[in-house]
């Protein structure tokens, strides 16, 4: 689902909630983090994108005080990750890549217990547990043991657990890997709601689509180093943006449609390729404005369209565009429907 109305907050003004400088963490000869610098502005989402083994989880672990970096410096909400771990832990929430709920306890008991561990009074812990179960559509399953939850339910419980203390800074380590599209959308909605309420989020992901939905800014990491950063649109522009796929009602119109787009000189729209075998017209685009312009043009010229979709570049294509090398893992691009 493409949200055409999403307006980026300006990620380049305001104070930083997270500041990382020259962070290094080695495991033997593996340089999991090899001098990482990044900032996350308060109230924004930074997407950290990278293939398997890039160093994403290591970064999240350093910033949650679970491991101590070998060198460099990092602060979260003004607290030093090495010197002020206790204060820092009170300001953060973490949804790890691997589920951290207690299997034997019910969903409600898990949340209540975490609330008590965070020193919430009994009554507050109880009401937070009820409220979060409701938000994540888990009220009906509240009294069931977490071991009987489906993968998606467990992930939602995990997210709810990371939000118990209403953290100012939230780390989400690949929060939707392995989730079905509906559950993924629920998770995205909840993250957007937290950000609207003022939270700062550091999100790691292997999916361009997730980064596009949630992140104000992106950092691409590979082999412990940052290889690209910028706004979502800047990075997409580097990669070549999305491809608009248009199916006309009458395939015979494909060549005329391609010609109309090429000759119209729409701002930034450079090419259109008709593929008669597939009955599709492919148009590379960099923005929602270009998408609207192309569809608008075809409409005014009287072409009848049967189906329109866009495909995002896969993470592999991002890596190809940035480094000229294929990444270690290939995340498939997920086609998104924009109109039928
Ligand atoms: N505890 C550890 N001991 C030894 N090596 C480790 C340890 N943790 C991570 N590594 C190595 O550090 C590198 C970075 O791992 P990390 O888990 O941070 O990657 P990632 O980006 O989170 O990958 P994924 O997408 O698979 O979760 C990898 O080469 C990994 O094998
Ligand atoms: Mg990881």
């Amino acid at each position: 689902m493409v949200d055409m109305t999403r307006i980026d907050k300006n990620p380049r003004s305001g104070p930083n909630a997270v500041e990382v400088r020259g962070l290094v963490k080695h495991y033997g000869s593996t340089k999991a983090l090899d001098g990482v610098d990044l900032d996350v502005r308060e109230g924004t989402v930074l997407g950290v994108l990278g293939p398997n083994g890039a160093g994403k989880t290591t970064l999240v672990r350093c910033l949650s005080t679970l491991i101590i970096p070998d060198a460099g410096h990092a602060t979260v909400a003004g607290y030093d990750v090495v010197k002020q771990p206790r204060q820092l832990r009170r300001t953060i929430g973490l949804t790890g890549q691997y589920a951290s709920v207690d299997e034997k306890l019910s969903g409600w008991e898990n949340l209540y217990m975490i609330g008590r561990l965070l020193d919430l009074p009994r009554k507050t812990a109880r009401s937070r547990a009820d409220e979060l179960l409701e938000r994540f559509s888990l009220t009906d399953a509240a009294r069931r043991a977490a071991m009987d939850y489906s993968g998606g339910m467990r992930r939602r419980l995990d997210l709810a657990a990371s939000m118990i203390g209403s953290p100012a800074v939230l780390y989400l380590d690949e929060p939707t890997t392995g989730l079905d599209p509906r559950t993924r959308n629920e998770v995205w909605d909840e993250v957007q709601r937290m950000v609207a309420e003022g939270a700062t989020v550091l999100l790691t992901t292997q999916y361009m689509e997730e980064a596009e939905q949630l992140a104000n800014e992106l950092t691409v990491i590979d082999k412990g180093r940052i290889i690209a950063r910028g706004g979502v649109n800047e990075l997409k522009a580097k990669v070549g943006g999305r491809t608009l796929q248009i199916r006309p009602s009458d395939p015979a119109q494909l060549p005329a449609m391609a010609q109309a787009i090429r000759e119209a000189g729409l701002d930034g729209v450079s090419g259109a390729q008709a593929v008669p075998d597939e009955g599709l017209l492919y148009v590379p685009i960099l923005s929602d404005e270009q998408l609207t312009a192309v569809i608008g043009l075809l409409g005014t010229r009287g072409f009848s369209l049967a189906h329109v979709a866009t495909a995002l570049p896969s993470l592999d294509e991002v890596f190809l565009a940035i480094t000229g090398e294929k990444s270690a893992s290939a995340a498939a691009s997920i086609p998104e429907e924009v109109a039928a």
Side-chain angles (χ1 to χ4, degrees):
M1 182 181 60
V2 176
D3 181 356
M4 304 272 194
T5 59
R6 190 165 72 96
I7 298 162
D8 275 1
K9 285 186 215 168
N10 183 358
R12 285 177 188 142
S13 60
N16 290 330
V18 180
E19 280 187 5
V20 177
R21 295 290 175 271
L23 210 63
V24 172
K25 180 73 192 178
H26 292 179
Y27 291 104
S29 60
T30 305
K31 295 171 175 173
L33 295 177
D34 195 20
V36 166
D37 297 330
L38 57 83
D39 292 325
V40 193
R41 298 278 174 194
E42 251 174 37
T44 69
V45 181
L46 176 74
V48 176
L49 208 55
N52 289 133
K56 303 181 298 294
T57 298
T58 306
L59 174 67
V60 168
R61 289 203 174 125
C62 284
L63 295 181
S64 354
T65 77
L66 295 173
I67 54 172
I68 297 172
D70 298 333
H73 186 247
T75 59
V76 180
Y79 299 118
D80 187 294
V81 292
V82 179
K83 295 183 196 132
Q84 298 167 293
R86 276 174 60 90
Q87 293 96 316
L88 193 152
R89 272 181 228 137
R90 286 180 189 280
T91 69
I92 62 166
L94 166 66
T95 297
Q97 189 170 3
Y98 307 101
S100 53
V101 297
D102 187 325
E103 301 263 300
K104 292 190 201 84
L105 298 182
S106 72
W108 190 89
E109 286 164 339
N110 264 292
L111 297 189
Y112 177 75
M113 183 190 71
I114 292 163
R116 293 292 288 150
L117 288 173
L118 289 170
D119 292 336
L120 296 183
R122 278 194 179 79
K123 206 173 146 203
T124 316
R126 248 181 243 133
S127 59
R128 276 301 276 164
D130 289 336
E131 182 191 319
L132 284 160
L133 287 164
E134 175 78 40
R135 265 202 200 186
F136 283 95
S137 321
L138 288 170
T139 304
D140 291 344
R143 306 285 158 186
R144 267 166 43 207
M147 70 175 90
D148 296 333
Y149 282 21
S150 70
M153 288 164 79
R154 239 177 249 225
R155 193 66 61 88
R156 297 205 304 267
L157 184 61
D158 237 18
L159 275 166
S162 69
M163 293 177 187
I164 286 272
S166 308
V169 179
L170 188 64
Y171 307 130
L172 303 174
D173 193 7
E174 299 195 30
T176 65
T177 299
L179 295 188
D180 64 47
R182 203 188 66 140
T183 311
R184 199 180 55 184
N185 279 321
E186 281 174 14
V187 170
W188 288 350
D189 286 347
E190 204 48 46
V191 173
Q192 275 162 340
R193 188 215 293 241
M194 297 244 344
V195 176
E197 287 169 3
T200 303
V201 176
L202 189 144
L203 161 87
T204 79
T205 183
Q206 300 201 37
Y207 302 122
M208 269 308 273
E209 188 189 1
E210 180 155 274
E212 185 184 38
Q213 278 287 324
L214 296 178
N216 301 96
E217 280 214 272
L218 294 180
T219 291
V220 183
I221 181 170
D222 190 25
K223 300 184 189 113
R225 288 177 162 273
I226 289 179
I227 57 168
R229 64 174 103 225
V232 174
N233 287 331
E234 282 170 74
L235 204 76
K236 276 201 297 189
K238 255 186 206 167
V239 178
R242 289 170 293 175
T243 304
L244 182 52
Q245 303 170 347
I246 303 167
R247 185 181 300 283
S249 308
D250 177 7
Q253 293 194 317
L254 277 170
M257 286 166 66
Q259 197 179 353
I261 291 168
R262 282 196 295 262
E263 288 174 0
L266 299 172
D267 194 20
V269 181
S270 49
Q273 199 193 351
V275 182
D277 285 354
E278 298 174 14
L280 283 174
L281 181 71
Y282 290 92
V283 186
I285 51 163
L286 299 175
S287 66
D288 292 345
E289 288 72 25
Q290 291 175 359
L291 185 156
T292 314
V294 170
I295 302 301
L297 172 83
L298 294 174
T300 11
R301 298 289 166 87
F303 293 107
S304 158
L305 310 183
H307 189 85
V308 177
T310 64
L312 281 168
S314 65
L315 186 58
D316 228 35
E317 286 164 328
V318 176
F319 273 75
L320 262 174
I322 295 169
T323 64
E325 279 175 43
K326 272 197 164 290
S327 71
S329 71
S333 68
I334 308 162
E336 9 162 342
E337 304 274 312
V338 294

